[in-house]
Amino acid sequence: RNRGIPYTRNHGLELARGEYIALLDSDDHAYPQRLGRQVMFLDRNPEIVQVGSWCSFMDARGRMLPKVRRQPLAPDDVHAHLLFHCPLVNRTIMARTAIYQDYGYDLEFPRCQDYDLHARLSAEHRMANLAEILVCGREHPGRWTGKSAGLGRDRKMDVARRLLARIGIEADETELRRHHALTR
């Protein structure tokens, strides 16, 4: 039976044996240089626990769309952006397997489980993105993200609430809605 994305990702983490784990959804595409570039980066930067990249997009039929998601690169910029949105595209992530196994995905986050994980990691670890398009994501009407927008908003506000509390800001519901609206 379908137990949801966080459960399935945690199961994959239990089975993982390599030093690194690369994430990619079944309908997306990784470019040939992706794994090599990310392994080289993580090998050279042992203080970084995960690295993402920029991402292009295609439609349901595989036709390229005129869209590229460019995220902040440097660890300090990634950390600052986390307070407002998820600055790491999950389908582009390569991470140190042992760290991901230690943290795992929270089953209470059927949506935004990646944002939640990145936020929790950010308390003790550094993350970065590469200024290269290494993955192409597929966009289509049947995507879970599109079907669960309200849940996504609620989970993003949960993550924001915890991140704001970490810096001493206790936000009420109205303030959280306004904070969430800043990135929209």
Side-chain angles (χ1 to χ4, degrees):
R1 81 180 203 267
N2 184 344
R3 298 177 91 174
I5 294 170
Y7 176 89
T8 303
R9 289 190 175 148
N10 283 336
H11 183 64
L13 288 172
E14 290 171 15
L15 300 174
R17 290 180 172 68
E19 180 178 358
Y20 303 129
I21 188 162
L23 307 179
L24 186 71
D25 292 333
S26 63
D27 55 352
D28 299 332
H29 170 79
Y31 292 111
Q33 71 276 18
R34 178 209 176 168
L35 297 177
R37 295 272 207 280
Q38 289 180 312
V39 166
M40 185 172 21
F41 180 86
L42 289 172
D43 283 349
R44 290 180 179 169
N45 297 279
E47 76 285 4
I48 303 294
V49 298
Q50 66 178 0
V51 62
S53 74
W54 291 349
C55 183
S56 61
F57 292 89
M58 62 184 146
D59 67 14
R61 295 183 180 172
R63 294 179 299 216
M64 294 304 295
L65 299 171
K67 174 180 170 182
V68 172
R69 185 168 295 153
R70 291 176 174 86
Q71 300 289 30
L73 306 174
D76 288 342
D77 294 335
V78 169
H79 186 80
H81 278 252
L82 273 169
L83 192 56
F84 300 96
H85 69 98
C86 187
L88 296 142
V89 179
N90 197 58
R91 61 177 53 107
T92 73
I93 295 295
M94 179 178 281
R96 298 183 190 281
T97 304
I99 300 289
Y100 260 46
Q101 288 170 331
D102 287 346
Y103 280 77
Y105 290 95
D106 186 337
L107 300 179
E108 297 298 315
F109 280 80
R111 268 292 309 277
C112 305
Q113 67 278 351
D114 54 334
Y115 188 20
D116 167 68
L117 177 59
H118 306 321
R120 288 185 288 119
L121 284 168
S122 74
E124 298 180 20
H125 300 287
R126 294 173 59 78
M127 301 165 274
N129 282 302
L130 299 177
E132 296 181 69
I133 299 170
L134 299 177
V135 171
C136 184
R138 189 175 309 269
E139 300 216 328
H140 53 83
R143 290 177 56 228
W144 167 241
T145 303
K147 293 180 174 182
S148 58
L151 178 59
R153 181 196 63 242
D154 293 346
R155 290 302 178 255
K156 288 174 187 170
M157 290 190 335
D158 287 342
V159 172
R161 175 184 286 112
R162 283 182 296 154
L163 289 169
L164 288 167
R166 194 186 300 165
I167 60 172
I169 299 171
E170 297 298 328
D172 64 27
E173 290 302 313
T174 300
E175 292 166 327
L176 280 172
R177 282 193 298 278
R178 289 179 181 151
H179 180 83
H180 178 72
L182 288 173
T183 61
R184 304 295 167 258

mmCIF file of all heavy atoms in Angstrom, residues 128-168:
data_model
loop_
_atom_site.group_PDB
_atom_site.id
_atom_site.type_symbol
_atom_site.label_atom_id
_atom_site.label_comp_id
_atom_site.label_asym_id
_atom_site.label_seq_id
_atom_site.Cartn_x
_atom_site.Cartn_y
_atom_site.Cartn_z
ATOM 1 N N ALA A 128 24.755 23.643 0.266
ATOM 2 C CA ALA A 128 25.094 24.533 -0.849
ATOM 3 C C ALA A 128 24.377 24.067 -2.113
ATOM 4 O O ALA A 128 23.768 22.993 -2.142
ATOM 5 C CB ALA A 128 26.607 24.535 -1.075
ATOM 6 N N ASN A 129 24.466 24.889 -3.139
ATOM 7 C CA ASN A 129 23.980 24.555 -4.475
ATOM 8 C C ASN A 129 25.095 24.834 -5.476
ATOM 9 O O ASN A 129 25.914 25.735 -5.269
ATOM 10 C CB ASN A 129 22.768 25.419 -4.850
ATOM 11 C CG ASN A 129 21.495 24.948 -4.196
ATOM 12 O OD1 ASN A 129 21.088 23.813 -4.364
ATOM 13 N ND2 ASN A 129 20.856 25.835 -3.442
ATOM 14 N N LEU A 130 25.100 24.085 -6.551
ATOM 15 C CA LEU A 130 26.024 24.323 -7.658
ATOM 16 C C LEU A 130 25.341 25.188 -8.705
ATOM 17 O O LEU A 130 24.148 25.024 -8.978
ATOM 18 C CB LEU A 130 26.471 23.002 -8.283
ATOM 19 C CG LEU A 130 27.221 22.043 -7.360
ATOM 20 C CD1 LEU A 130 27.543 20.744 -8.091
ATOM 21 C CD2 LEU A 130 28.478 22.700 -6.826
ATOM 22 N N ALA A 131 26.101 26.071 -9.324
ATOM 23 C CA ALA A 131 25.578 26.982 -10.345
ATOM 24 C C ALA A 131 25.571 26.296 -11.708
ATOM 25 O O ALA A 131 26.112 26.803 -12.689
ATOM 26 C CB ALA A 131 26.411 28.253 -10.388
ATOM 27 N N GLU A 132 24.958 25.125 -11.745
ATOM 28 C CA GLU A 132 24.844 24.353 -12.973
ATOM 29 C C GLU A 132 23.466 23.715 -13.010
ATOM 30 O O GLU A 132 22.928 23.342 -11.966
ATOM 31 C CB GLU A 132 25.866 23.210 -13.008
ATOM 32 C CG GLU A 132 27.294 23.624 -13.033
ATOM 33 C CD GLU A 132 28.199 22.394 -13.093
ATOM 34 O OE1 GLU A 132 28.208 21.714 -14.141
ATOM 35 O OE2 GLU A 132 28.842 22.115 -12.078
ATOM 36 N N ILE A 133 22.925 23.551 -14.193
ATOM 37 C CA ILE A 133 21.671 22.818 -14.352
ATOM 38 C C ILE A 133 22.035 21.348 -14.489
ATOM 39 O O ILE A 133 22.575 20.924 -15.511
ATOM 40 C CB ILE A 133 20.889 23.312 -15.586
ATOM 41 C CG1 ILE A 133 20.540 24.791 -15.420
ATOM 42 C CG2 ILE A 133 19.631 22.470 -15.784
ATOM 43 C CD1 ILE A 133 19.983 25.425 -16.679
ATOM 44 N N LEU A 134 21.779 20.581 -13.438
ATOM 45 C CA LEU A 134 22.144 19.167 -13.414
ATOM 46 C C LEU A 134 20.944 18.231 -13.470
ATOM 47 O O LEU A 134 21.108 17.030 -13.657
ATOM 48 C CB LEU A 134 22.982 18.865 -12.166
ATOM 49 C CG LEU A 134 24.318 19.620 -12.065
ATOM 50 C CD1 LEU A 134 25.022 19.283 -10.751
ATOM 51 C CD2 LEU A 134 25.199 19.323 -13.258
ATOM 52 N N VAL A 135 19.742 18.787 -13.310
ATOM 53 C CA VAL A 135 18.521 17.977 -13.305
ATOM 54 C C VAL A 135 17.423 18.730 -14.056
ATOM 55 O O VAL A 135 17.374 19.959 -14.035
ATOM 56 C CB VAL A 135 18.067 17.695 -11.845
ATOM 57 C CG1 VAL A 135 16.706 17.043 -11.788
ATOM 58 C CG2 VAL A 135 19.107 16.840 -11.124
ATOM 59 N N CYS A 136 16.558 17.956 -14.700
ATOM 60 C CA CYS A 136 15.385 18.511 -15.363
ATOM 61 C C CYS A 136 14.148 17.894 -14.719
ATOM 62 O O CYS A 136 13.991 16.668 -14.706
ATOM 63 C CB CYS A 136 15.421 18.201 -16.863
ATOM 64 S SG CYS A 136 14.064 18.960 -17.779
ATOM 65 N N GLY A 137 13.304 18.732 -14.148
ATOM 66 C CA GLY A 137 12.092 18.267 -13.487
ATOM 67 C C GLY A 137 10.907 18.262 -14.439
ATOM 68 O O GLY A 137 10.789 19.133 -15.298
ATOM 69 N N ARG A 138 10.044 17.302 -14.263
ATOM 70 C CA ARG A 138 8.854 17.192 -15.110
ATOM 71 C C ARG A 138 7.674 17.869 -14.416
ATOM 72 O O ARG A 138 7.409 17.610 -13.250
ATOM 73 C CB ARG A 138 8.517 15.732 -15.383
ATOM 74 C CG ARG A 138 7.424 15.541 -16.423
ATOM 75 C CD ARG A 138 7.213 14.080 -16.746
ATOM 76 N NE ARG A 138 8.432 13.376 -17.066
ATOM 77 C CZ ARG A 138 8.936 13.245 -18.302
ATOM 78 N NH1 ARG A 138 8.324 13.797 -19.325
ATOM 79 N NH2 ARG A 138 10.050 12.561 -18.497
ATOM 80 N N GLU A 139 6.975 18.722 -15.143
ATOM 81 C CA GLU A 139 5.784 19.386 -14.629
ATOM 82 C C GLU A 139 4.576 18.881 -15.391
ATOM 83 O O GLU A 139 4.577 18.874 -16.618
ATOM 84 C CB GLU A 139 5.918 20.897 -14.790
ATOM 85 C CG GLU A 139 7.121 21.438 -14.043
ATOM 86 C CD GLU A 139 6.874 22.795 -13.446
ATOM 87 O OE1 GLU A 139 6.109 23.566 -14.033
ATOM 88 O OE2 GLU A 139 7.451 23.067 -12.392
ATOM 89 N N HIS A 140 3.569 18.432 -14.658
ATOM 90 C CA HIS A 140 2.347 17.935 -15.283
ATOM 91 C C HIS A 140 1.190 18.088 -14.302
ATOM 92 O O HIS A 140 1.410 18.211 -13.092
ATOM 93 C CB HIS A 140 2.511 16.472 -15.724
ATOM 94 C CG HIS A 140 2.977 15.563 -14.629
ATOM 95 N ND1 HIS A 140 2.121 15.010 -13.708
ATOM 96 C CD2 HIS A 140 4.220 15.133 -14.307
ATOM 97 C CE1 HIS A 140 2.813 14.264 -12.860
ATOM 98 N NE2 HIS A 140 4.093 14.326 -13.192
ATOM 99 N N PRO A 141 -0.039 18.084 -14.795
ATOM 100 C CA PRO A 141 -1.200 18.338 -13.932
ATOM 101 C C PRO A 141 -1.395 17.317 -12.812
ATOM 102 O O PRO A 141 -1.981 17.636 -11.790
ATOM 103 C CB PRO A 141 -2.394 18.289 -14.894
ATOM 104 C CG PRO A 141 -1.829 18.372 -16.255
ATOM 105 C CD PRO A 141 -0.398 17.929 -16.193
ATOM 106 N N GLY A 142 -0.918 16.101 -12.942
ATOM 107 C CA GLY A 142 -1.148 15.074 -11.940
ATOM 108 C C GLY A 142 -0.162 15.067 -10.794
ATOM 109 O O GLY A 142 -0.235 14.199 -9.925
ATOM 110 N N ARG A 143 0.755 16.021 -10.749
ATOM 111 C CA ARG A 143 1.768 16.032 -9.691
ATOM 112 C C ARG A 143 1.138 16.220 -8.316
ATOM 113 O O ARG A 143 0.218 16.991 -8.127
ATOM 114 C CB ARG A 143 2.775 17.164 -9.934
ATOM 115 C CG ARG A 143 3.660 16.919 -11.128
ATOM 116 C CD ARG A 143 4.604 18.074 -11.424
ATOM 117 N NE ARG A 143 5.415 18.394 -10.264
ATOM 118 C CZ ARG A 143 5.581 19.634 -9.809
ATOM 119 N NH1 ARG A 143 5.001 20.651 -10.393
ATOM 120 N NH2 ARG A 143 6.342 19.857 -8.758
ATOM 121 N N TRP A 144 1.674 15.510 -7.326
ATOM 122 C CA TRP A 144 1.212 15.586 -5.937
ATOM 123 C C TRP A 144 1.293 17.019 -5.429
ATOM 124 O O TRP A 144 0.421 17.492 -4.711
ATOM 125 C CB TRP A 144 2.051 14.635 -5.095
ATOM 126 C CG TRP A 144 1.939 14.781 -3.614
ATOM 127 C CD1 TRP A 144 2.949 15.098 -2.760
ATOM 128 C CD2 TRP A 144 0.776 14.602 -2.790
ATOM 129 N NE1 TRP A 144 2.485 15.140 -1.464
ATOM 130 C CE2 TRP A 144 1.155 14.834 -1.464
ATOM 131 C CE3 TRP A 144 -0.540 14.281 -3.051
ATOM 132 C CZ2 TRP A 144 0.272 14.760 -0.404
ATOM 133 C CZ3 TRP A 144 -1.426 14.204 -1.982
ATOM 134 C CH2 TRP A 144 -1.017 14.436 -0.679
ATOM 135 N N THR A 145 2.333 17.748 -5.810
ATOM 136 C CA THR A 145 2.513 19.128 -5.365
ATOM 137 C C THR A 145 1.308 19.980 -5.750
ATOM 138 O O THR A 145 0.797 20.752 -4.943
ATOM 139 C CB THR A 145 3.791 19.719 -5.993
ATOM 140 O OG1 THR A 145 4.881 18.889 -5.628
ATOM 141 C CG2 THR A 145 4.055 21.117 -5.520
ATOM 142 N N GLY A 146 0.840 19.823 -6.995
ATOM 143 C CA GLY A 146 -0.293 20.606 -7.455
ATOM 144 C C GLY A 146 -1.606 20.212 -6.808
ATOM 145 O O GLY A 146 -2.511 21.029 -6.656
ATOM 146 N N LYS A 147 -1.707 18.958 -6.415
ATOM 147 C CA LYS A 147 -2.949 18.455 -5.827
ATOM 148 C C LYS A 147 -3.068 18.744 -4.330
ATOM 149 O O LYS A 147 -4.103 18.487 -3.733
ATOM 150 C CB LYS A 147 -3.051 16.945 -6.041
ATOM 151 C CG LYS A 147 -3.229 16.549 -7.486
ATOM 152 C CD LYS A 147 -3.311 15.040 -7.593
ATOM 153 C CE LYS A 147 -3.629 14.612 -8.996
ATOM 154 N NZ LYS A 147 -3.758 13.156 -9.105
ATOM 155 N N SER A 148 -2.007 19.230 -3.724
ATOM 156 C CA SER A 148 -2.015 19.403 -2.267
ATOM 157 C C SER A 148 -1.477 20.769 -1.851
ATOM 158 O O SER A 148 -0.722 20.886 -0.895
ATOM 159 C CB SER A 148 -1.194 18.285 -1.621
ATOM 160 O OG SER A 148 0.130 18.298 -2.124
ATOM 161 N N ALA A 149 -1.883 21.803 -2.577
ATOM 162 C CA ALA A 149 -1.360 23.152 -2.321
ATOM 163 C C ALA A 149 -1.654 23.635 -0.905
ATOM 164 O O ALA A 149 -0.790 24.227 -0.253
ATOM 165 C CB ALA A 149 -1.914 24.130 -3.351
ATOM 166 N N GLY A 150 -2.868 23.398 -0.414
ATOM 167 C CA GLY A 150 -3.216 23.851 0.935
ATOM 168 C C GLY A 150 -2.359 23.188 1.999
ATOM 169 O O GLY A 150 -1.876 23.842 2.920
ATOM 170 N N LEU A 151 -2.149 21.892 1.861
ATOM 171 C CA LEU A 151 -1.289 21.172 2.793
ATOM 172 C C LEU A 151 0.141 21.697 2.704
ATOM 173 O O LEU A 151 0.816 21.862 3.723
ATOM 174 C CB LEU A 151 -1.331 19.669 2.500
ATOM 175 C CG LEU A 151 -0.454 18.778 3.366
ATOM 176 C CD1 LEU A 151 -0.812 18.902 4.843
ATOM 177 C CD2 LEU A 151 -0.564 17.329 2.902
ATOM 178 N N GLY A 152 0.603 21.976 1.492
ATOM 179 C CA GLY A 152 1.944 22.529 1.313
ATOM 180 C C GLY A 152 2.102 23.857 2.032
ATOM 181 O O GLY A 152 3.100 24.093 2.712
ATOM 182 N N ARG A 153 1.110 24.732 1.905
ATOM 183 C CA ARG A 153 1.161 26.035 2.587
ATOM 184 C C ARG A 153 1.245 25.833 4.094
ATOM 185 O O ARG A 153 2.064 26.448 4.774
ATOM 186 C CB ARG A 153 -0.077 26.860 2.217
ATOM 187 C CG ARG A 153 -0.100 28.237 2.872
ATOM 188 C CD ARG A 153 -1.475 28.881 2.835
ATOM 189 N NE ARG A 153 -2.407 28.068 3.608
ATOM 190 C CZ ARG A 153 -3.490 27.459 3.105
ATOM 191 N NH1 ARG A 153 -3.808 27.586 1.848
ATOM 192 N NH2 ARG A 153 -4.282 26.725 3.887
ATOM 193 N N ASP A 154 0.402 24.939 4.625
ATOM 194 C CA ASP A 154 0.393 24.703 6.067
ATOM 195 C C ASP A 154 1.734 24.160 6.550
ATOM 196 O O ASP A 154 2.244 24.587 7.590
ATOM 197 C CB ASP A 154 -0.720 23.723 6.437
ATOM 198 C CG ASP A 154 -2.103 24.309 6.208
ATOM 199 O OD1 ASP A 154 -2.227 25.538 6.018
ATOM 200 O OD2 ASP A 154 -3.078 23.515 6.202
ATOM 201 N N ARG A 155 2.313 23.221 5.819
ATOM 202 C CA ARG A 155 3.591 22.636 6.236
ATOM 203 C C ARG A 155 4.728 23.654 6.120
ATOM 204 O O ARG A 155 5.627 23.693 6.954
ATOM 205 C CB ARG A 155 3.901 21.373 5.436
ATOM 206 C CG ARG A 155 2.995 20.205 5.771
ATOM 207 C CD ARG A 155 3.097 19.860 7.261
ATOM 208 N NE ARG A 155 2.228 18.788 7.639
ATOM 209 C CZ ARG A 155 1.098 18.946 8.321
ATOM 210 N NH1 ARG A 155 0.702 20.125 8.704
ATOM 211 N NH2 ARG A 155 0.360 17.908 8.628
ATOM 212 N N LYS A 156 4.695 24.490 5.092
ATOM 213 C CA LYS A 156 5.718 25.543 4.967
ATOM 214 C C LYS A 156 5.628 26.498 6.145
ATOM 215 O O LYS A 156 6.662 26.943 6.671
ATOM 216 C CB LYS A 156 5.549 26.305 3.649
ATOM 217 C CG LYS A 156 5.958 25.492 2.450
ATOM 218 C CD LYS A 156 5.630 26.219 1.154
ATOM 219 C CE LYS A 156 5.892 25.300 -0.025
ATOM 220 N NZ LYS A 156 5.377 25.844 -1.277
ATOM 221 N N MET A 157 4.408 26.819 6.579
ATOM 222 C CA MET A 157 4.257 27.704 7.730
ATOM 223 C C MET A 157 4.734 27.013 9.007
ATOM 224 O O MET A 157 5.294 27.674 9.886
ATOM 225 C CB MET A 157 2.818 28.199 7.836
ATOM 226 C CG MET A 157 2.497 29.180 6.706
ATOM 227 S SD MET A 157 0.941 30.117 6.755
ATOM 228 C CE MET A 157 -0.164 29.189 7.724
ATOM 229 N N ASP A 158 4.563 25.696 9.116
ATOM 230 C CA ASP A 158 5.101 24.964 10.269
ATOM 231 C C ASP A 158 6.623 25.070 10.317
ATOM 232 O O ASP A 158 7.206 25.296 11.379
ATOM 233 C CB ASP A 158 4.704 23.485 10.211
ATOM 234 C CG ASP A 158 3.241 23.234 10.524
ATOM 235 O OD1 ASP A 158 2.583 24.127 11.110
ATOM 236 O OD2 ASP A 158 2.754 22.143 10.181
ATOM 237 N N VAL A 159 7.259 24.896 9.167
ATOM 238 C CA VAL A 159 8.715 25.009 9.103
ATOM 239 C C VAL A 159 9.135 26.429 9.455
ATOM 240 O O VAL A 159 10.055 26.640 10.262
ATOM 241 C CB VAL A 159 9.252 24.598 7.708
ATOM 242 C CG1 VAL A 159 10.738 24.903 7.590
ATOM 243 C CG2 VAL A 159 8.978 23.117 7.441
ATOM 244 N N ALA A 160 8.464 27.417 8.876
ATOM 245 C CA ALA A 160 8.795 28.820 9.161
ATOM 246 C C ALA A 160 8.638 29.130 10.642
ATOM 247 O O ALA A 160 9.478 29.833 11.225
ATOM 248 C CB ALA A 160 7.922 29.745 8.317
ATOM 249 N N ARG A 161 7.585 28.612 11.265
ATOM 250 C CA ARG A 161 7.364 28.846 12.697
ATOM 251 C C ARG A 161 8.582 28.373 13.512
ATOM 252 O O ARG A 161 9.077 29.082 14.377
ATOM 253 C CB ARG A 161 6.115 28.114 13.176
ATOM 254 C CG ARG A 161 5.879 28.220 14.685
ATOM 255 C CD ARG A 161 4.687 27.405 15.168
ATOM 256 N NE ARG A 161 3.451 28.050 14.780
ATOM 257 C CZ ARG A 161 2.581 27.572 13.869
ATOM 258 N NH1 ARG A 161 2.822 26.419 13.269
ATOM 259 N NH2 ARG A 161 1.483 28.215 13.581
ATOM 260 N N ARG A 162 9.070 27.182 13.196
ATOM 261 C CA ARG A 162 10.229 26.651 13.933
ATOM 262 C C ARG A 162 11.496 27.447 13.650
ATOM 263 O O ARG A 162 12.297 27.692 14.556
ATOM 264 C CB ARG A 162 10.442 25.188 13.610
ATOM 265 C CG ARG A 162 9.448 24.292 14.344
ATOM 266 C CD ARG A 162 9.697 22.853 14.064
ATOM 267 N NE ARG A 162 9.443 22.675 12.630
ATOM 268 C CZ ARG A 162 9.981 21.735 11.877
ATOM 269 N NH1 ARG A 162 10.791 20.868 12.385
ATOM 270 N NH2 ARG A 162 9.699 21.656 10.609
ATOM 271 N N LEU A 163 11.703 27.838 12.381
ATOM 272 C CA LEU A 163 12.894 28.607 12.036
ATOM 273 C C LEU A 163 12.863 29.989 12.681
ATOM 274 O O LEU A 163 13.887 30.472 13.173
ATOM 275 C CB LEU A 163 13.037 28.729 10.513
ATOM 276 C CG LEU A 163 13.431 27.449 9.790
ATOM 277 C CD1 LEU A 163 13.276 27.612 8.280
ATOM 278 C CD2 LEU A 163 14.851 27.032 10.139
ATOM 279 N N LEU A 164 11.700 30.622 12.702
ATOM 280 C CA LEU A 164 11.576 31.923 13.360
ATOM 281 C C LEU A 164 11.816 31.787 14.864
ATOM 282 O O LEU A 164 12.503 32.623 15.467
ATOM 283 C CB LEU A 164 10.201 32.529 13.074
ATOM 284 C CG LEU A 164 9.980 33.025 11.645
ATOM 285 C CD1 LEU A 164 8.500 33.294 11.393
ATOM 286 C CD2 LEU A 164 10.817 34.264 11.361
ATOM 287 N N ALA A 165 11.266 30.740 15.475
ATOM 288 C CA ALA A 165 11.475 30.518 16.913
ATOM 289 C C ALA A 165 12.953 30.326 17.226
ATOM 290 O O ALA A 165 13.444 30.771 18.268
ATOM 291 C CB ALA A 165 10.659 29.319 17.387
ATOM 292 N N ARG A 166 13.677 29.694 16.304
ATOM 293 C CA ARG A 166 15.108 29.468 16.502
ATOM 294 C C ARG A 166 15.879 30.783 16.639
ATOM 295 O O ARG A 166 16.899 30.845 17.303
ATOM 296 C CB ARG A 166 15.673 28.652 15.341
ATOM 297 C CG ARG A 166 17.047 28.087 15.632
ATOM 298 C CD ARG A 166 17.688 27.405 14.454
ATOM 299 N NE ARG A 166 16.943 26.281 13.945
ATOM 300 C CZ ARG A 166 17.160 25.718 12.750
ATOM 301 N NH1 ARG A 166 18.087 26.188 11.946
ATOM 302 N NH2 ARG A 166 16.455 24.690 12.354
ATOM 303 N N ILE A 167 15.356 31.849 16.008
ATOM 304 C CA ILE A 167 16.031 33.150 16.113
ATOM 305 C C ILE A 167 15.294 34.090 17.071
ATOM 306 O O ILE A 167 15.507 35.297 17.052
ATOM 307 C CB ILE A 167 16.233 33.809 14.728
ATOM 308 C CG1 ILE A 167 14.901 34.050 14.016
ATOM 309 C CG2 ILE A 167 17.182 32.979 13.874
ATOM 310 C CD1 ILE A 167 15.023 34.871 12.734
ATOM 311 N N GLY A 168 14.406 33.522 17.895
ATOM 312 C CA GLY A 168 13.760 34.289 18.954
ATOM 313 C C GLY A 168 12.486 35.011 18.561
ATOM 314 O O GLY A 168 12.034 35.900 19.281
#
